[in-house]
């Protein structure tokens, strides 16, 4: 019975972190090599320290952080979000009218100069005409031809100046229209940029929350491994005693010790992952590399919170806030404007934009339904875990009485306690899963779905 309970506990610990029990035990030769390698590494590190070379990074300043307040901290101090806000502010402060007025002024100056040139050419042509008419019958043919050629050249230059004035005038008229449209175009660009900045910031906040929840789960997995290691430590003397009296083999002893080494190694790996993720979350929060953070618990989802969920009302809110639907609506608006301005020759682009908007709305409704149902399912699983915990508590109370009366050994009592702790851990996991689902639901209402 004890062996079965220990095996079950080991499997639970292994499942929590993806452990697998190796098929064979470590040979004495392998163990020796591991010890030798460890000793050599220690000697090498000691030598580096003695030479003034640090083998470990400097200690970080650790700060505790809770889930509530996480979003505000990210939005206030995250460097990427701050950069996006500065970009948005730059768009809003852009002078779109001044540069256009400068261009209009330059073209007007050109036209003024061209007008003066045209008048000069026309005056020269008139003077040459008068000179030609004044010759009467006395002028030679060659002189008359030269004067006619000069008159024609002056007229061509005047006509060229007149054409340039007309071209510049057309450009000025276009710039005047652009100047009138510029404020509205800037407002449209600002609104679009603001929406994009908001969506990007939301994704960063969601990423920080995901890191926070992941860290909570990893900490729970470390606690599960601690229970597994403690159970193995209680079982090792039993197996060794059984080996002494011939009830267990040397392989049994090596196997359980190898299981302990595997659990310890997995815990070390998890702790390294936790440290790395804590540093990543700290940077997301806007801290320097010299600061890390340690998360607290995942908040509890109250029954009151679940009762406030209203599918129809919340779906409409999700659709109104949906970034995807907004993108499709914006594309439809642009397609409509392009068609009205004859930018496109057919209705194909407009009709395609309408179809894309309808598809986006359908997708949002479908995704929201799945998210809503998932919250209900996670609540059901939490209820089941709590029922299992209640049963485990009852069984443990029986084990306590049996232990006090000497009916079971201390090992059996400790195993019963481990069973109770495993049930409590299952409730914690179910609570975390419910919170993840509920938090996803709240983000969906805000228009963000992953």
């Amino acid at each position: 019975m004890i062996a079965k309970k220990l095996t079950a506990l080991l499997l639970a610990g292994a499942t929590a972190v993806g452990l697998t029990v190796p098929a064979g035990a470590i040979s004495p030769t392998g163990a020796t090599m591991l010890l030798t390698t460890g000793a050599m590494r220690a000697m090498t590190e000691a030598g580096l320290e003695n030479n003034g070379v640090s083998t470990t990074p400097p200690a970080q300043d650790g700060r505790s952080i809770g889930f509530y307040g996480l979003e505000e901290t990210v939005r206030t101090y995250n460097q990427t979000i701050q950069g996006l806000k500065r970009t948005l502010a730059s768009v809003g402060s852009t002078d779109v009218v001044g540069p256009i007025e400068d261009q209009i002024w330059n073209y007007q100056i050109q036209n003024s100069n061209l007008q003066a040139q045209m008048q000069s050419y026309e005056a020269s042509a008139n003077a040459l005409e008068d000179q030609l008419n004044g010759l009467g019958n006395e002028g030679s043919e060659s002189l008359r031809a030269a004067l006619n050629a000069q008159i024609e050249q002056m007229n061509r230059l005047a006509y060229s100046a007149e054409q340039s004035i007309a071209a510049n005038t057309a450009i000025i008229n276009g710039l005047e229209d652009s100047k009138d449209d510029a404020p509205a175009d800037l407002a449209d660009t600002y609104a679009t940029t603001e929406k994009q900045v908001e969506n990007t910031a939301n994704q960063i906040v969601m990423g920080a929350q995901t890191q926070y929840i992941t860290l909570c789960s990893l900490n729970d997995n470390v606690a599960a491994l601690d229970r597994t290691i403690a159970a193995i430590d209680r079982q090792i003397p039993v197996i060794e005693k059984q080996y002494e009296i011939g009830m267990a083999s040397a392989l049994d002893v090596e196997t359980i010790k190898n299981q302990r080494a595997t659990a310890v190694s997995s815990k070390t790996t998890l702790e390294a992952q936790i440290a790395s993720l804590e540093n990543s979350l700290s940077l997301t929060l806007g801290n320097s590399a010299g600061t890390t953070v340690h998360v607290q618990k995942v908040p509890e989802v109250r029954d009151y919170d679940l009762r406030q969920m209203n599918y129809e009302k919340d779906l409409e809110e999700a659709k109104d806030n949906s970034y995807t639907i907004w993108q499709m609506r914006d594309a439809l608006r642009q397609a409509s404007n392009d068609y009205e301005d004859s930018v496109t020759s057919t209705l194909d682009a407009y009709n395609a934009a309408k179809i894309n908007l309808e598809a986006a709305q359908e997708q949002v409704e479908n995704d929201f339904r799945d998210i809503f149902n998932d919250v209900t399912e996670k609540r059901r699983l939490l209820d089941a875990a709590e029922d299992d915990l209640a049963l485990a508590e009852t069984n443990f109370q029986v084990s306590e009485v049996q232990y006090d009366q000497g009916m079971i050994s201390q090992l059996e009592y400790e195993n019963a306690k481990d069973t109770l702790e495993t049930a409590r851990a299952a409730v914690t996991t179910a609570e975390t899963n419910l919170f993840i689902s509920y938090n996803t639901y709240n983000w969906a209402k805000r228009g963000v779905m992953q």
Side-chain angles (χ1 to χ4, degrees):
M1 180 65 69
I2 294 175
K4 289 183 178 180
K5 290 184 178 180
L6 177 61
T7 301
L9 185 60
L10 289 173
L11 289 175
T15 302
V17 293
L19 294 178
T20 56
V21 179
I26 300 177
S27 67
T29 304
T32 301
M33 292 183 65
L34 288 174
L35 290 173
T36 303
T37 303
M40 291 178 62
R41 184 184 299 111
M43 292 173 61
T44 303
E45 292 178 354
L48 290 173
E49 292 288 357
N50 291 336
N51 290 331
V53 180
S54 176
T55 59
T56 57
Q60 295 174 292
D61 176 28
R63 300 178 182 176
S64 177
I65 183 169
F67 189 87
Y68 295 119
L70 183 69
E71 178 173 352
E72 182 180 356
T73 302
V74 173
R75 293 189 185 279
T76 303
Y77 299 106
N78 180 267
Q79 294 183 6
T80 300
I81 293 179
Q82 295 311 304
L84 291 172
K85 288 181 178 179
R86 287 191 290 270
T87 298
L88 182 62
S90 176
V91 171
S93 63
T94 301
D95 180 10
V96 292
V97 174
I100 297 177
E101 290 179 336
D102 291 341
Q103 293 183 62
I104 292 173
W105 172 255
N106 290 332
Y107 281 112
Q108 288 174 337
I109 293 296
Q110 290 182 27
N111 277 358
S112 178
N113 293 333
L114 288 169
Q115 185 70 30
Q117 292 175 12
M118 184 180 70
Q119 292 174 351
S120 175
Y121 294 143
E122 290 174 344
S124 296
N126 291 333
L128 290 170
E129 286 277 1
D130 292 342
Q131 185 178 352
L132 179 63
N133 293 333
L135 290 176
N137 295 325
E138 298 178 0
S140 64
E141 290 297 326
S142 60
L143 179 58
R144 291 178 181 278
L147 288 173
N148 282 323
Q150 292 179 38
I151 292 171
E152 183 179 355
Q153 182 180 12
M154 291 298 102
N155 287 333
R156 283 198 303 270
L157 290 172
Y159 178 76
S160 176
E162 183 180 19
Q163 291 299 107
S164 295
I165 290 173
N168 284 349
T169 300
I171 294 175
I172 289 173
N173 291 335
L175 289 172
E176 290 287 357
D177 291 339
S178 298
K179 185 178 74 171
D180 294 337
D181 295 339
D185 291 341
L186 177 63
D188 184 63
T189 299
Y190 182 88
T192 300
T193 305
E194 184 179 34
K195 199 71 176 180
Q196 294 170 343
V197 167
E198 178 187 3
N199 182 65
T200 301
N202 286 339
Q203 297 295 334
I204 293 174
V205 172
M206 286 185 69
Q209 290 182 348
T210 299
Q211 288 178 317
Y212 183 101
I213 297 170
T214 300
L215 281 168
C216 291
S217 297
L218 291 177
N219 287 331
D220 291 340
N221 289 341
V222 169
L225 280 172
D226 283 335
R227 290 194 300 273
T228 298
I229 294 170
I232 294 174
D233 287 341
R234 290 194 301 271
Q235 189 66 14
I236 286 177
V238 176
I239 299 297
E240 289 178 335
K241 190 64 176 179
Q242 290 176 343
Y243 172 69
E244 290 179 6
I245 62 178
M247 295 179 62
S249 66
L251 179 60
D252 293 331
V253 176
E254 288 189 21
T255 298
I256 193 170
K257 289 183 177 180
N258 186 60
Q259 289 173 344
R260 186 187 192 284
T262 301
V264 171
S265 176
S266 297
K267 179 184 174 182
T268 302
T269 300
L270 273 182
E271 290 173 339
Q273 293 175 353
I274 289 172
S276 177
L277 193 56
E278 285 176 339
N279 289 338
S280 177
L281 177 57
S282 180
L283 292 177
T284 303
L285 292 169
N287 296 323
S288 66
T291 301
T292 189
V293 294
H294 306 300
V295 299
Q296 300 173 13
K297 294 182 178 180
V298 171
E300 176 187 0
V301 180
R302 302 168 300 174
D303 290 337
Y304 172 81
D305 299 323
L306 299 178
R307 288 195 299 270
Q308 298 307 304
M309 294 172 58
N310 183 304
Y311 179 79
E312 296 296 337
K313 182 177 74 69
D314 293 346
L315 173 59
E316 289 306 312
E317 183 178 351
K319 290 168 68 175
D320 289 342
N321 294 330
S322 171
Y323 179 74
T324 301
I325 292 178
W326 173 85
Q327 283 182 308
M328 297 302 104
R329 283 178 178 161
D330 190 59
L332 178 61
R333 177 185 62 81
Q334 293 181 18
S336 177
N337 292 341
D338 289 345
Y339 181 75
E340 292 175 358
D341 295 339
S342 299
V343 175
T344 54
S345 58
T346 68
L347 285 171
D348 290 346
Y350 177 76
N351 289 334
K354 286 181 63 178
I355 293 173
N356 290 338
L357 174 58
E358 293 171 358
Q361 290 173 332
E362 290 291 335
Q363 186 64 52
V364 167
E365 290 185 16
N366 184 70
D367 291 344
F368 189 83
R369 183 183 300 106
D370 290 342
I371 293 171
F372 181 90
N373 291 335
D374 187 66
V375 176
T376 303
E377 173 63 11
K378 293 303 189 294
R379 174 70 253 191
R380 185 189 69 80
L381 294 175
L382 174 57
D383 289 341
E386 289 175 338
D387 290 341
D388 291 341
L389 174 58
L391 178 60
E393 288 174 337
T394 300
N395 290 335
F396 179 69
Q397 290 173 359
V398 173
S399 297
E400 279 187 313
V401 173
Q402 291 176 334
Y403 178 67
D404 291 340
Q405 294 178 354
M407 298 174 61
I408 61 174
S409 66
Q410 182 176 356
L411 180 60
E412 290 175 311
Y413 171 76
E414 294 294 339
N415 288 340
K417 184 184 295 185
D418 285 334
T419 301
L420 176 60
E421 292 302 321
T422 300
R424 285 175 178 163
V427 170
T428 299
T429 299
E431 289 173 338
T432 299
N433 291 336
L434 174 59
F435 177 79
I436 293 172
S437 183
Y438 181 72
N439 192 52
T440 301
Y441 182 82
N442 282 331
W443 273 111
K445 287 169 55 180
R446 296 169 66 177
V448 184
M449 297 186 189
Q450 291 182 329

